[in-house]
C-alpha cells in the first residue's frame, strides 16, 4: 500500500516570548484537523518543539497534495485566531501570505514529505528542531548514513552494502531548486565538502542504493529567502525511515549525542549546541539552546501507532548535561567571534544599520 507521510510545521504564536505554544492553540489545531480531515487523511499527530507546532499526516494523496497542504494551512489559521485572542507573542508569524495558493511551500511553514510503499512493518522517526535551520541535520545524517563509526550496519548488514544516495540543495539559489546527487561511499569527500557549509548546502533527501527507496527527507525552507528578510530561523523538520535497508533507529539517533554547534539560538544570530530534548519541550536559556526532538512511530495501513519519545531516556539526560555545558562555554564569550553568526546569517538588520552609521566616521591614515 502506498502511503504519504507529510510533516508541515509553523510557529503561530507562543507564551512568554518565543517559548512554547499554548495548550488551547494546540487543541484548536488538533480539533480542526479531526473535524475537517476525516475523508482526506488516514491519520495525524500534532506535537510542538519550542514555539513550533508540527503536524504529521499519513495519507494517500501523494507528495505536494494541495488538499493536505490546505488542511494544514487552515488548521494553522484556525490556531492563529486563538493565538490572537489569547494575545500570544508572534501570533501567526510563520503564515507569511494572506491567502493559501496551492501549496504551503514558499508561504512560511516548513514541509517535508515522502511517499512510500509501506513495508509490512514500517518504523520511522520524525524529528523537529527549534531555534536553528535545516543545515543542523547535515552532520547527523552524514554520520548516520555514511559513517561506519556511527552506523555499524554499513559494515554488518548486507542490506546497506551499496550505501546511500544524497540529494543536496544549494539553498542560496532562489530561482528554483538547485540540487546535486552524490553517492556514498564513492563521493564521501565531495559530500563532506558541501555539508560542512550548513547555511548553504542542505541535505534534502537520502535514498537507499540497494532498493532505490527514499530513506530520509528534510524541510529545506530558508525563510529569509522567501520574505527577503529574516522572519525567524527555519526550525526544520525531518522524516527518517529506519531498520531493514535503512539504519537502525539507534544509529540514526547516535550522532545527536554530539550536541554539535549549529546556527540559531538567541535572535537566530548565534552559535549554540543542538540539544536532544523530549517531545513537547519548550526552550529557555538564551532563547535556546537550539533543540531537537525525535519521535518514533510505526505506520500500518496508514494508521500511526502511539509515539515513542526517543530522547526520553536516562542516557539523553547525560547528553543534555554535556550539551548545557557546551552552550554555557560558548555563551561565556558573548558577542565575540564564533559565538555569533556572520552578517549574512544574522536574523536582525540592526547591526547593518549600525555599520552604515559608523562607516563615514572611519578615517584613512596613510
Ligand atoms: C529566534 C527567537 C528568539 C527571538 C528573541 C527576540 O527565532 O525566537 O530568540 O529572536 O526572543 O524576539 P523579538 O525580536 O520577537 O522580540
Ligand atoms: Mg519562532
Ligand atoms: Mg521556532
Amino acid at each position: 500500500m502506498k502511503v504519504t507521510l507529510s510533516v508541515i510545521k509553523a510557529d503561530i504564536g507562543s507564551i512568554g516570548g518565543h517559548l512554547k505554544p499554548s495548550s488551547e492553540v494546540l487543541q484548536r489545531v488538533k480539533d480542526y484537523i479531526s473535524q475537517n480531515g476525516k475523508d482526506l487523511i488516514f491519520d495525524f499527530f500534532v506535537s510542538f518543539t519550542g514555539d513550533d507546532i508540527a503536524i504529521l499526516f499519513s495519507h494517500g494523496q501523494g507528495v505536494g497534495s494541495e488538499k493536505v497542504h490546505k488542511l494544514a494551512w487552515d488548521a494553522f489559521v484556525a490556531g492563529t485566531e486563538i493565538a490572537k485572542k489569547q494575545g500570544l507573542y508572534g501570533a501567526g508569524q510563520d503564515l507569511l501570505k494572506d491567502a493559501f495558493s496551492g501549496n504551503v511551500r514558499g508561504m512560511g511553514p516548513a514541509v517535508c514529505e515522502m511517499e512510500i510503499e509501506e513495508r509490512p512493518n514500517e518504523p520511522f522517526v520524525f524529528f523537529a528542531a527549534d531555534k536553528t535551520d535545516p543545515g543542523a541535520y547535515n552532520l547527523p545524517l552524514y554520520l548516520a548514513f555514511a559513517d561506519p563509526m556511527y552506523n555499524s550496519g554499513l559494515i554488518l548488514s548486507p542490506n546497506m552494502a551499496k550505501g546511500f544516495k544524497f540529494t543536496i540543495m544549494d539553498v542560496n539559489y532562489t530561482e528554483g531548486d538547485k540540487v546535486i546527487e552524490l553517492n556514498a561511499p564513492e563521493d564521501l569527500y565531495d559530500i563532506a565538502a558541501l555539508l560542512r557549509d550548513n547555511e548553504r548546502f542542505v541535505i534534502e533527501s537520502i535514498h537507499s542504493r540497494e532498493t532505490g527507496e527514499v530513506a530520509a527527507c528534510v524541510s529545506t525552507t530558508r525563510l529569509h529567502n522567501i520574505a527577503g528578510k529574516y522572519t525567524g530561523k527555519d526550525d526544520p523538520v525531518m522524516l527518517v525511515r529506519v531498520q531493514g535497508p535503512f539504519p537502525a533507529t539507534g544509529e540514526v539517533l547516535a550522532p545527536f549525542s554530539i550536541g554539535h554547534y549549529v546556527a540559531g539560538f538567541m535572535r537566530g544570530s548565534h552559535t549554540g549546541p543542538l540539544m536532544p530534548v523530549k517531545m513537547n519541550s519548550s526552550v529557555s536559556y538564551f532563547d535556546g539552546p537550539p533543540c531537537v526532538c525525535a519521535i518514533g512511530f510505526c505506520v500500518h495501513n496508514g494508521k500511526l501507532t502511539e509515539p515513542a519519545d526517543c530522547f526520553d531516556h536516562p542516557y539523553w539526560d547525560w547528553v543534555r548535561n554535556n550539551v548545557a555545558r557546551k552552550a554555557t562555554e560558548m555563551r561565556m564569550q558573548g558577542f565575540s567571534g564564533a559565538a555569533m553568526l556572520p552578517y549574512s546569517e544574522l536574523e536582525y538588520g540592526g547591526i547593518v544599520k549600525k555599520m552604515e552609521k559608523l562607516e563615514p566616521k572611519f578615517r584613512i591614515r596613510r
Side-chain angles (χ1 to χ4, degrees):
M1 169 179 175
K2 273 209 180 340
V3 171
T4 311
L5 298 173
S6 301
V7 181
I8 305 183
K9 79 95 228 181
D11 175 351
I12 53 169
S14 38
I15 308 174
H18 293 271
L19 306 185
K20 64 183 270 193
S22 70
S23 25
E24 286 90 327
V25 167
L26 277 167
Q27 196 55 50
R28 183 70 188 110
V29 170
K30 286 181 202 168
D31 290 346
Y32 188 91
I33 300 167
S34 304
Q35 286 154 13
N36 297 279
K38 266 192 228 92
D39 303 326
L40 181 64
I41 57 172
F42 300 144
D43 210 350
F44 75 101
F45 182 80
V46 174
S47 60
F48 72 89
T49 309
D51 55 11
D52 298 300
I53 298 178
I55 312 169
L56 165 66
F57 293 105
S58 136
H59 60 91
Q61 309 289 317
V63 166
S65 154
E66 175 166 353
K67 287 179 184 159
V68 174
H69 282 224
K70 183 162 185 344
L71 177 62
W73 179 267
D74 290 343
F76 286 135
V77 169
T80 296
E81 281 167 21
I82 304 292
K84 285 187 173 152
K85 262 193 204 129
Q86 290 188 303
L88 296 196
Y89 193 71
Q93 73 159 50
D94 278 358
L95 307 183
L96 300 180
K97 305 277 156 89
D98 292 331
F100 179 78
S101 60
N103 193 305
V104 295
R105 271 181 212 280
M107 300 185 69
V111 194
C112 78
E113 303 182 276
M114 50 167 69
E115 186 176 44
I116 59 174
E117 186 60 53
E118 197 188 83
R119 294 173 284 172
N121 48 71
E122 183 61 63
F124 70 94
V125 183
F126 152 65
F127 291 85
D130 189 35
K131 307 297 183 242
T132 187
D133 53 23
Y137 294 129
N138 279 358
L139 181 64
L141 284 176
Y142 173 88
L143 297 175
F145 281 88
D147 188 345
M149 295 284 283
Y150 284 79
N151 180 344
S152 63
L154 294 171
I155 308 172
L156 300 174
S157 164
N159 298 334
M160 285 187 278
K162 287 193 188 141
F164 291 92
K165 180 184 80 181
F166 286 68
T167 305
I168 298 169
M169 185 183 285
D170 176 351
V171 293
N172 277 6
Y173 188 81
T174 51
E175 307 295 304
D177 290 349
K178 185 176 170 187
V179 292
I180 185 171
E181 292 181 355
L182 294 167
N183 286 322
E186 303 92 285
D187 304 326
L188 268 191
Y189 295 168
D190 294 337
I191 294 172
L194 296 178
L195 296 188
R196 59 155 215 95
D197 187 349
N198 289 335
E199 308 319 309
R200 176 157 181 203
F201 298 106
V202 172
I203 296 174
E204 180 197 52
S205 61
I206 300 176
H207 288 78
S208 160
R209 296 173 72 198
E210 289 286 342
T211 67
E213 290 172 290
V214 62
C217 65
V218 178
S219 63
T220 49
T221 339
R222 294 296 315 266
L223 285 176
H224 78 315
N225 295 345
I226 297 171
K229 61 177 173 49
Y230 255 144
T231 53
K233 275 287 177 229
D234 306 291
D235 304 340
V237 286
M238 164 165 91
L239 288 166
V240 183
R241 297 170 79 187
V242 289
Q243 311 295 149
F246 309 119
T249 312
E251 287 165 343
V252 174
L253 300 178
F256 289 93
S257 66
I258 299 169
H260 66 302
Y261 287 106
V262 297
F265 220 164
M266 172 60 72
R267 298 181 184 276
S269 304
H270 292 80
T271 303
L274 188 65
M275 180 180 278
V277 294
K278 296 177 195 179
M279 184 168 81
N280 298 336
S281 293
S282 77
V283 294
S284 175
Y285 169 62
F286 205 57
D287 285 3
C291 62
V292 60
C293 78
I295 314 175
F297 291 93
C298 285
V299 57
H300 191 57
N301 298 329
K303 279 275 160 225
L304 297 168
T305 56
E306 67 193 80
D309 188 350
C310 301
F311 294 140
D312 183 4
H313 181 278
Y315 172 78
W316 298 100
D317 291 336
W318 175 79
V319 170
R320 283 188 275 273
N321 280 335
N322 290 337
V323 174
R325 182 184 44 75
K326 284 182 74 166
T328 311
E329 293 286 346
M330 185 56 103
R331 286 309 317 134
M332 279 163 67
Q333 69 178 62
F335 58 78
S336 182
M340 269 187 109
L341 297 178
Y343 284 128
S344 56
E345 294 300 327
L346 296 178
E347 190 172 310
Y348 290 73
I351 195 157
V352 178
K353 295 241 157 62
K354 207 182 285 299
M355 293 310 288
E356 280 166 8
K357 258 172 74 185
L358 290 177
E359 182 56 31
K361 295 190 182 173
F362 276 96
R363 285 184 300 122
I364 296 175
R365 204 187 297 132
R366 306 240 182 236

